[in-house]
Amino acid sequence: MAHARPRPRRRQQHIHVAAAAAAMLLLSFTARLPLAVSARLPSPPTTRLLLLAALPPSSPLRAFCPRERPSPATCAAFSSPAMAADNPLLAADFDFPPFDRVEPSHVRPGIRELLTRLEGELEELEKGVEPSWGKLVEPLERVTDRLEVIWGMVDHLKAVKDSADLRAAVEEVQPDKVKFQLRLGQSKPIYQAFQAIRNSSDWDSLTDARKRVVEAQIKEAVLSGVALEDEQREKFNQIEQELEKLSQKFSENVLDATKKFEKLITDKKEIDGLPATALGLAAQTAVSKGHENATAENGPWVITLDAPSYIAVMQHARSRALREEVYRAYLTRASSGELDNTDIIAKILKLRLEKAKILGYKNYAEVSMAQKMATVERVEELLEKLRAASWDHAVKDMEDLKIFAKDSGSPDATDLTHWDLTFWSERLRESKYDINEEALRPYFALPKVMDGLFTLANKLFGVNVEPADGLAPVWHSDVKFYCVKDSSNSPVAYFYFDPYSRPSEKRGGAWMNVVFSRSRVLARNGLPARLPVAHMVCNQTPPVGDKPSLMTFREVETVFHEFGHALQHMLTKQDEGYVAGIRGVEWDAVELPSQFMENWCYHKDTLLSIAKHYETGETLPEEIYAKLVAAKNFRAGTFSLRQIRFASVDMELHTTYDPYGSLSIYDVDRRVAERTQVLAPLPEDRFLCSFSHIFAGGYAAGYYSYKWAEVLSADAFSAFEDAGLDNEKAIEETGRRFRDTVLALGGGKSPLEVFVSFRGREPSPEPLLRHNGLLPVAA
């Protein structure tokens, strides 16, 4: 399949723009709507101020601030308690975000009022700033956290409950938010105070975590343009605003293009081969589109580009014409008409290059690497090593597929192309390993999978995960809420889980994100620190009829992956908010816990504990488990090259590519594909137009992070192999050490130090090559 692995995990960093742009997908728009008072009170600014000043404190008119305000602090003085009471985004205090109460109509007034208040607080901080923790870092954390939490609510709802009204509201306030971020990131008083701490005689007495906070703040300020003056700063700020707008537009075009494709099928022959689960989903989709009498048996059926539907067609549809139609639609999403992302990509690449040069770097990749473990050279070295180790295996994968298709009597065997590969790969896997993924679904019911996952977390890390539905407001009835408790039964964290695909309103992919970070400064209710809260979002097959969500094995791996991210956020022991959990962790190391957790899907005791038939309770037979393990590295060379293609084209577009030159982005992709794809891409391949990871997410010049962190995660799991996967005591001891290092230390130490503290040495790529069955070629 020619699409990026759908796992844009979205992470919140410090509120500085450079960090936010490198860490998570930020919403972006440009239009502004004048404040209501501008239309209703046409009197001069001074008159308006006098009018507002004369109003009683309880007057709701105090909710309006004059457009030409003398200062943010003055405007903040006119804020209305009634406005805060009516707008959940301005609630003074809450244990959990009021997701159920936030409406699009709250966004414009709520975000504008919030920014006004924060501007006033920032001005006060700058006036009295001192190079000390209590006078600098703690008040700054309060300011940045408020924006992260409140904007995070809006941003999250935009991803899981999108609507035209919410888009329009965000579009109008996004530039104001970015303007505040730039103002904060370029604050010279704050930057100079951090420099003073760094250069003080007390520096050596600071903890490692506090040193990391200071150094990160200084670096982020520089990357946010704090050293720029006048015209350069103005140009830099314009670029940041435009990049935010373009990234958001890119993301919306992908979502809209995905939703736009619907294929109504009434002839049962067309859907021949689709399993019962896919037919049920297609009929359920048809019902939602107005075909109220649709059934899985008789149709009609609606095929979409949403992952559960698309993947089912590519794996199982016997109609080559249907596979081709759906494949081409997926491959060319957002590449034509009003949703075409081609020009947006060109503008993004030009602006990123211009931004890099303003900051004194040769290219955008160097900007990206400034906050990562790797360098451009080390990334290229790793990718080439993995490419060389994968190539011959991928060539053999293709040969095996052609031979199998020919032996199966396929008339297309001599002319296999892209929309055939997934179909015949699935048939070969079924034949070679006697495994039918659809037949496995009844063994992977979501409730049982989650029970097994939580049992594993208890065994490895000594925590208990308990349902806590009703404790926190949620944004959809599908969402579950959980409490994580330590061995003394005390809560240490909470998380939301939104598991199912909702194509009409929910962005595709899977991700984990921050709701609250652990923080000593923001402690509540007599606790020593505010407890962390996360949310996990997936897009797996929803329940059909009276059946629970029956998962593919790939969906099981995805849930384990996202839970790994959540564990690092939730089990942190860092009390400094800026480096707690996933915050402050270099981007190319943050996938370590997530990819580490995927390994446990192949651990016998773990898998058999979750694989229970949803109707009979029968455990997955051991011979099928053995076949799953045997099939683990099926087409590993092909899948490895696929990730290397994505990472390589990302690096080339952000290093050597000249966006002003004669070559197009598609020329670059085709050139990269020559050395990373055995079957040449179609001339009309436009996967870049939906490559949200690098054009609307945090992976620009960073997609290599999946492979970089995979080296770390495979090596980390090899510590459990060394201890003995059948040795319960050794597994428990190693798990506690993993918790006390990788999960506990967060961004308080460098990733290399954290890894060495767990593993006792620096990482090696050998375990990854061994796990993927690629080691012989590497040798």
Side-chain angles (χ1 to χ4, degrees):
M1 292 178 289
H3 64 290
R5 190 181 193 181
R7 283 184 179 166
R9 187 217 27 81
R10 309 168 73 218
R11 176 173 63 137
Q12 293 195 12
Q13 286 275 47
H14 309 165
I15 214 63
H16 297 287
V17 165
M24 64 171 289
L25 176 61
L26 287 175
L27 305 176
S28 166
F29 297 86
T30 54
R32 293 173 188 260
L33 178 70
L35 292 176
V37 70
S38 299
R40 297 174 184 172
L41 298 175
S43 50
T46 304
T47 306
R48 275 185 268 168
L49 283 172
L50 292 173
L51 175 62
L52 284 169
L55 293 172
S58 60
S59 172
L61 288 178
R62 285 186 175 275
F64 299 107
C65 289
R67 189 173 179 84
E68 295 84 5
R69 56 181 79 97
S71 75
T74 302
C75 185
F78 296 132
S79 300
S80 167
M83 182 184 191
D86 295 339
N87 193 321
L89 296 178
L90 296 174
D93 212 3
F94 45 72
D95 290 323
F96 301 104
F99 286 115
D100 60 333
R101 292 178 52 217
V102 177
E103 300 292 341
S105 60
H106 295 132
V107 173
R108 293 180 184 88
I111 295 299
R112 283 177 172 146
E113 173 66 15
L114 173 68
L115 292 173
T116 297
R117 295 177 184 181
L118 294 180
E119 179 70 30
E121 291 179 24
L122 179 58
E123 285 186 358
E124 293 302 314
L125 173 58
E126 288 176 323
K127 289 175 184 176
V129 71
E130 295 177 10
S132 68
W133 219 255
K135 293 287 188 177
L136 172 61
V137 184
E138 293 180 3
L140 181 63
E141 185 180 343
R142 292 189 182 95
V143 171
T144 59
D145 184 82
R146 192 108 52 84
L147 184 55
E148 286 179 352
V149 169
I150 302 304
W151 184 261
M153 292 166 60
V154 176
D155 185 30
H156 176 66
L157 290 173
K158 182 74 172 55
V160 298
K161 200 175 180 180
D162 192 27
S163 69
D165 288 343
L166 184 55
R167 284 189 185 187
V170 172
E171 180 175 351
E172 294 175 15
V173 295
Q174 174 72 14
D176 296 323
K177 183 188 80 83
V178 174
K179 183 178 179 181
F180 177 77
Q181 290 177 311
L182 288 165
R183 158 84 172 84
L184 177 59
Q186 295 169 357
S187 169
K188 280 188 164 58
I190 291 175
Y191 172 64
Q192 290 164 355
F194 274 112
Q195 283 186 312
I197 292 178
R198 178 64 184 86
N199 297 326
S200 73
S201 58
D202 296 331
W203 175 252
D204 291 337
S205 66
L206 293 183
T207 63
D208 289 344
R210 289 193 170 190
K211 287 179 180 178
R212 291 265 296 175
V213 170
V214 172
E215 290 171 339
Q217 290 287 338
I218 291 172
K219 183 181 292 184
E220 288 173 12
V222 172
L223 294 177
S224 294
V226 72
L228 303 177
E229 300 291 347
D230 304 329
E231 290 183 10
Q232 273 199 322
R233 176 180 289 198
E234 184 178 348
K235 182 61 178 175
F236 179 90
N237 291 352
Q238 289 174 355
I239 289 172
E240 291 290 82
Q241 288 278 12
E242 185 66 11
L243 282 173
E244 295 286 344
K245 179 183 74 170
L246 291 169
S247 291
Q248 178 57 27
K249 184 61 176 172
F250 184 101
S251 178
E252 289 179 353
N253 284 351
V254 173
L255 178 62
D256 291 346
T258 303
K259 290 195 298 183
K260 187 176 181 180
F261 179 89
E262 293 177 5
K263 182 172 178 61
L264 177 67
I265 296 177
T266 56
D267 184 351
K268 200 165 189 175
K269 292 179 182 178
E270 272 199 84
I271 47 87
D272 184 30
L274 289 187
T277 304
L279 292 174
L281 179 62
Q284 190 166 279
T285 303
V287 170
S288 72
K289 303 294 181 183
H291 304 276
E292 56 187 32
N293 296 319
T295 66
E297 294 76 21
N298 300 312
W301 305 270
V302 171
I303 301 298
T304 71
L305 298 183
D306 197 46
S309 178
Y310 170 77
I311 293 171
V313 169
M314 300 313 298
Q315 284 185 328
H316 301 291
R318 291 195 175 96
S319 168
R320 197 184 194 204
L322 176 62
R323 295 199 309 268
E324 178 179 358
E325 181 182 355
V326 174
Y327 178 85
R328 287 184 181 276
Y330 196 96
L331 190 72
T332 57
R333 284 180 302 160
S335 66
S336 63
E338 61 182 11
L339 301 178
D340 192 351
N341 274 335
T342 303
D343 287 344
I344 290 176
I345 293 173
K347 291 175 183 177
I348 287 174
L349 292 174
K350 288 175 182 178
L351 289 170
R352 284 176 178 169
L353 179 60
E354 188 174 0
K355 171 183 172 178
K357 291 186 174 179
I358 288 175
L359 291 173
Y361 293 93
K362 288 188 298 184
N363 53 56
Y364 186 77
E366 290 187 352
V367 177
S368 175
M369 298 299 161
Q371 293 182 301
K372 293 181 172 66
M373 290 179 70
T375 62
V376 172
E377 293 74 19
R378 291 188 68 191
V379 169
E380 292 173 344
E381 179 184 341
L382 175 66
L383 292 178
E384 176 54 27
K385 181 172 185 176
L386 296 178
R387 189 203 68 80
S390 305
W391 180 261
D392 287 350
H393 290 275
V395 170
K396 188 173 187 307
D397 289 343
M398 181 61 73
E399 291 171 352
D400 291 346
L401 216 56
K402 290 178 178 178
I403 292 170
F404 177 77
K406 182 179 179 181
D407 291 346
S408 300
S410 170
D412 310 314
T414 58
D415 187 33
L416 291 187
T417 190
H418 296 277
W419 46 86
D420 302 318
L421 301 186
T422 304
F423 175 81
W424 283 108
S425 293
E426 190 63 17
R427 304 291 80 75
L428 175 57
R429 195 170 78 102
E430 291 169 356
S431 172
K432 187 173 183 178
Y433 301 103
D434 192 23
I435 291 178
N436 182 311
E437 187 164 277
E438 284 300 311
L440 293 179
R441 278 187 189 265
Y443 288 97
F444 296 119
L446 177 64
K448 193 63 184 176
V449 169
M450 299 307 289
D451 287 346
L453 178 57
F454 298 156
T455 298
L456 176 66
N458 176 261
K459 180 168 73 172
L460 294 178
F461 312 126
V463 296
N464 295 304
V465 181
E466 300 176 359
D469 293 324
L471 183 62
V474 296
W475 52 92
H476 191 277
S477 58
D478 289 343
V479 179
K480 303 297 182 184
F481 191 66
Y482 296 94
C483 176
V484 182
K485 296 183 177 181
D486 62 18
S487 56
S488 66
N489 208 37
S490 298
V492 296
Y494 299 89
F495 70 98
Y496 305 82
F497 181 39
D498 186 351
Y500 309 129
S501 167
R502 294 191 299 276
S504 64
E505 64 177 10
K506 186 177 177 183
R507 185 172 296 142
W511 64 90
M512 166 269 165
N513 205 354
V514 174
V515 179
F516 294 146
S517 291
R518 182 178 174 88
S519 170
R520 172 186 54 81
V521 172
L522 297 164
R524 296 167 43 83
N525 303 325
L527 296 172
R530 181 181 66 181
L531 298 183
V533 181
H535 51 64
M536 287 168 51
V537 181
C538 294
N539 268 281
Q540 67 191 51
T541 309
V544 176
D546 58 356
K547 295 180 181 179
S549 174
L550 301 179
M551 304 166 68
T552 65
F553 188 69
R554 186 71 191 86
E555 289 174 337
V556 173
E557 289 181 296
T558 297
V559 170
F560 272 61
H561 178 102
E562 300 306 332
F563 191 59
H565 283 308
L567 285 170
Q568 186 175 31
H569 177 64
M570 296 188 296
L571 299 189
T572 185
K573 293 183 180 178
Q574 290 288 358
D575 289 338
E576 298 295 343
Y578 280 129
V579 291
I582 62 172
R583 298 183 80 198
V585 178
E586 280 75 353
W587 188 251
D588 42 9
V590 81
E591 295 290 340
L592 192 170
S594 55
Q595 295 182 145
F596 164 81
M597 287 298 294
E598 288 185 48
N599 288 283
W600 293 99
C601 293
Y602 293 93
H603 178 238
K604 184 176 180 180
D605 291 348
T606 300
L607 185 65
L608 296 184
S609 74
I610 66 176
K612 308 285 186 183
H613 196 284
Y614 81 100
E615 288 179 316
T616 67
E618 174 198 5
T619 300
L620 184 77
E622 288 201 19
E623 59 268 25
I624 296 182
Y625 162 74
K627 293 171 183 177
L628 269 175
V629 173
K632 177 176 181 286
N633 292 329
F634 178 62
R635 294 176 60 80
T638 298
F639 295 133
S640 177
L641 282 187
R642 178 173 170 272
Q643 289 294 87
I644 293 167
R645 175 193 174 190
F646 297 153
S648 298
V649 74
D650 170 37
M651 288 302 294
E652 189 154 332
L653 287 174
H654 291 103
T655 52
T656 59
Y657 176 62
D658 179 6
Y660 296 94
S662 58
L663 288 179
S664 74
I665 54 174
Y666 308 118
D667 293 329
V668 174
D669 182 38
R670 280 189 286 272
R671 186 170 65 222
V672 169
E674 288 175 3
R675 64 179 192 275
T676 59
Q677 194 164 313
V678 176
L679 180 64
L682 297 176
E684 60 270 35
D685 188 325
R686 294 293 182 269
F687 102 90
L688 286 172
C689 286
S690 58
F691 198 2
S692 297
H693 283 73
I694 70 170
F695 296 119
Y699 285 87
Y703 195 87
Y704 77 89
S705 299
Y706 279 113
K707 281 299 179 185
W708 187 273
E710 202 174 350
V711 170
L712 302 177
S713 63
D715 201 347
F717 187 74
S718 72
F720 291 81
E721 295 174 322
D722 293 347
L725 290 174
D726 295 327
N727 187 329
E728 290 287 333
K729 183 178 180 182
I731 290 296
E732 182 178 315
E733 291 174 351
T734 309
R736 297 303 191 274
R737 192 167 78 248
F738 188 87
R739 173 183 173 168
D740 292 341
T741 53
V742 176
L743 301 182
L745 296 176
K749 287 183 179 291
S750 74
L752 184 58
E753 285 183 275
V754 172
F755 184 89
V756 170
S757 65
F758 168 67
R759 198 68 178 94
R761 58 166 173 75
E762 294 195 1
S764 164
E766 186 273 339
L768 173 61
L769 295 172
R770 173 168 53 82
H771 288 171
N772 289 346
L774 303 175
L775 196 56
V777 173

